[in-house]
Amino acid sequence: MTDNLPPLREVVAAHGLAAKKSLGQNFLFDLNLTGKIARAAGPLEEATILEIGPGPGGLTRALLTQGAKKVIAVERDERCLVALAEISAHYPGRLEVVCADALGLDYPAFLSQRGVEGPLRICANLPYNIGTPLLAGWLTEKDWPPFYERMVLMFQREVAERIVATPGERADYGRLGVLAGWRCEARILFDVPPAAFTPPPKITSSVVELRPRAKPLECAGKALEAVTLAAFGQRRKMLRQSLKSLPLPIDPLELLQSAGIEPTKRAEEVEIAGFCALARAYAKKTGLV
């Protein structure tokens, strides 16, 4: 499908939109790939899509071409707003562009202010420098089920592998794998080679799908973030030592005993259920939710 808008390379050249490394930008011009990502988030006819970091709008155009009912695009780079406005004019009422820092938004409130009712989908070629903290925030939303029904996101391949990792894959298993596995079913859909981007990054990228679990294990999200950050921050050490770095200090041996975890274990040896038990114990001791 085509949208009869100028080729994206021409749009970028016309508006002088050279990708900025400081913003983690790598523009995706390949229409086959943007279409493939959009279809992975489908069917789109009745869907509202949240897109973070649209840049000049390559994926945005694909989502609209594939029939998305509405796209809400959050873009920090003011240089891209003119190009996105041209897309909005081409699809009246179907694209809303918000110039904001995606890391600073309260997403449920942000979407409620725009009249978005019920869950939506997040589909984005995330800027490399904010992808991980954005995902961590979405995975630890206080209310569950969350404001989204599915996420289709692009990350660096090594980050994607950490998101889907399990305890049996010790090299990749870490904080992201625990957070994602706790509340979502995650899988890598396909890879995107460096040559597909402008400028081409030095690494391969991967598109990941995350679907929220209806009933994740009971756990306080902020507490889980804290214990996994401490545990994997010094992953070669036993938990009785690494947990000493928790932001709200507590006796690690007492905490591990409460969670039923051997103090000589290392973080990579603990299942997601074990980390949830650890987070519950930490929340009970500290009040962290």
Side-chain angles (χ1 to χ4, degrees):
M1 294 183 182
T2 59
D3 55 15
N4 296 319
L5 286 166
L8 204 61
R9 288 185 186 277
E10 292 183 11
V11 173
V12 168
H15 297 296
L17 299 178
K20 281 189 175 182
K21 187 175 181 180
S22 63
L23 296 177
Q25 292 175 329
N26 295 88
F27 298 150
L28 189 59
F29 291 161
D30 189 318
L31 294 179
N32 290 325
L33 280 171
T34 53
K36 188 175 182 180
I37 297 168
R39 289 191 296 275
L44 301 176
E45 286 73 18
E46 298 300 321
T48 297
I49 306 293
L50 174 65
E51 184 186 6
I52 305 298
L59 179 57
T60 314
R61 288 166 58 167
L63 290 164
L64 292 165
T65 300
Q66 294 291 330
K69 181 179 179 181
K70 184 171 184 178
V71 175
I72 300 173
V74 178
E75 177 55 63
R76 177 184 173 186
D77 188 355
E78 294 183 4
R79 300 177 307 147
C80 296
L81 299 183
V82 175
L84 292 169
E86 293 170 354
I87 302 171
S88 183
H90 192 74
Y91 292 98
R94 293 175 59 196
L95 172 61
E96 179 180 356
V97 180
V98 180
C99 187
D101 182 350
L103 283 175
L105 294 179
D106 175 341
Y107 283 93
F110 170 79
L111 295 165
S112 177
Q113 291 166 2
R114 282 156 180 78
V116 178
E117 297 180 356
L120 81 166
R121 297 175 203 166
I122 307 175
C123 184
N125 170 19
L126 293 175
Y128 284 155
N129 58 351
I130 64 170
T132 297
L134 271 177
L135 178 61
W138 293 331
L139 290 171
T140 54
E141 282 287 333
K142 186 175 181 180
D143 295 326
W144 205 266
F147 64 88
Y148 53 87
E149 64 180 15
R150 191 191 321 172
M151 296 189 282
V152 175
L153 306 170
M154 191 187 300
F155 297 92
Q156 297 172 349
R157 174 74 191 190
E158 63 180 37
V159 175
E161 289 174 341
R162 293 204 298 269
I163 292 168
V164 303
T166 63
E169 301 160 322
R170 293 187 180 181
D172 296 317
Y173 181 58
R175 174 172 166 262
L176 263 186
V178 174
L179 293 178
W182 164 48
R183 275 187 159 177
C184 289
E185 294 179 359
R187 62 182 180 131
I188 294 175
L189 299 180
F190 53 86
D191 292 336
V192 180
F197 295 92
T198 300
K202 295 180 180 180
I203 45 81
T204 296
S205 300
S206 298
V207 175
V208 180
E209 178 191 63
L210 297 104
R211 291 179 179 259
R213 298 183 188 277
K215 294 182 179 181
L217 291 169
E218 182 182 345
C219 184
K222 296 304 178 185
L224 184 62
E225 276 194 281
V227 297
T228 52
L229 188 61
F232 287 104
Q234 303 177 73
R235 62 187 301 145
R236 293 184 180 180
K237 294 184 177 180
M238 296 179 186
L239 289 171
R240 66 187 184 191
Q241 184 65 32
S242 61
L243 292 179
K244 290 180 179 179
S245 64
L246 281 166
L248 299 175
I250 188 171
D251 181 0
L253 292 177
E254 181 184 349
L255 192 63
L256 289 162
Q257 183 179 18
S258 297
I261 297 173
E262 290 292 328
T264 54
K265 281 197 170 184
R266 292 175 172 81
E268 62 192 20
E269 300 174 300
V270 179
E271 301 279 346
I272 292 171
F275 275 111
C276 288
L278 196 59
R280 288 195 296 271
Y282 186 57
K284 186 175 181 181
K285 297 286 186 182
T286 62
L288 188 65
V289 296

